[in-house]
Amino acid sequence: MKKYFYLTIFVSSFFISGNGQQINTLKIGAQIWMMSNLNIDIPGSSNYNEDPKLGIKYGRLYTYEAAKNACPNGWKLPTVKDWEELLTTMGGEDKAGTMLLKNSAEGGFNAKLGGVSTVGNYNLLGSYGAFWTATQNDKDNAWFLFFTSKTNSVTSTYSIKSHGLSVRCLKNSN
């Protein structure tokens, strides 16, 4: 017997005060996520290769400390548990990558593979996307989730907090 997976997605938008940036949102299950990688210029963030055009397309890369403060009022940096809820809603870690990489025109999360920065070096643009969580591993490392262009799965691991990774904000539930 075939199992069918139905997912209802609702799209809306808002503007971030101060910089006029329009942010589209996506309701997946009980969660409301930003539909694009965050692109707010704050200390501790940078555009890939310092190119603002790449920031518009892929969002900025944030250190962990910057990521904790980057989401606008009413939004938060998601925890590992928040991401796990999303992955479960999207069919599990082994299948979620395909759905999360779909663009907004296809009703998807539109996870842009913005690469990473490590001590001023930029790597893997377009083939690897890593997203900080609010969950620390220890005083020097924090958890993140990553997608690649070559697999359907999503993987979680931890990294040094000074690395630059993408941010996707989650609407506060309270």
Side-chain angles (χ1 to χ4, degrees):
M1 180 169 83
K2 287 186 178 180
K3 281 188 165 183
Y4 294 95
F5 177 68
Y6 295 99
L7 180 64
T8 304
I9 297 175
F10 298 97
V11 177
S12 64
S13 63
F14 70 97
F15 289 91
I16 297 176
S17 61
N19 71 3
Q21 181 181 358
Q22 180 176 341
I23 300 292
N24 293 322
T25 63
L26 187 66
K27 183 172 183 182
I28 301 174
Q31 297 176 315
I32 299 174
W33 290 84
M34 288 185 176
M35 198 188 252
S36 57
N37 296 357
L38 196 63
N39 185 25
I40 296 176
D41 185 1
I42 64 170
S45 71
S46 65
N47 292 309
Y48 191 95
N49 278 343
E50 306 300 330
D51 184 345
K53 290 178 185 172
L54 293 175
I56 291 168
K57 182 173 182 178
Y58 294 98
R60 295 179 72 84
L61 300 173
Y62 298 83
T63 64
Y64 176 73
E65 293 304 320
K68 292 190 313 182
N69 299 306
C71 294
N73 288 338
W75 295 81
K76 68 176 187 170
L77 185 64
T79 63
V80 167
K81 187 176 178 179
D82 293 326
W83 278 100
E84 287 172 350
E85 181 179 335
L86 175 66
L87 297 178
T88 298
T89 302
M90 301 296 278
E93 285 183 8
D94 292 336
K95 297 177 185 175
T98 300
M99 294 291 290
L100 295 172
L101 289 170
K102 284 186 178 182
N103 69 40
S104 55
E106 300 171 284
F109 188 79
N110 202 25
K112 294 290 185 181
L113 303 178
V116 297
S117 67
T118 56
V119 194
N121 295 314
Y122 296 91
N123 298 294
L124 305 171
L125 181 69
S127 64
Y128 181 87
F131 296 84
W132 282 121
T133 76
T135 308
Q136 293 189 78
N137 183 59
D138 57 36
K139 70 180 181 79
D140 298 318
N141 299 283
W143 287 92
F144 70 96
L145 280 84
F146 69 89
F147 310 81
T148 70
S149 59
K150 297 181 185 210
T151 180
N152 294 337
S153 65
V154 179
T155 304
S156 62
T157 189
Y158 56 88
S159 178
I160 298 169
K161 293 177 181 179
S162 62
H163 287 174
L165 308 180
S166 298
V167 167
R168 193 59 78 100
C169 301
L170 176 64
K171 183 87 170 145
N172 285 331
S173 57
N174 47 10

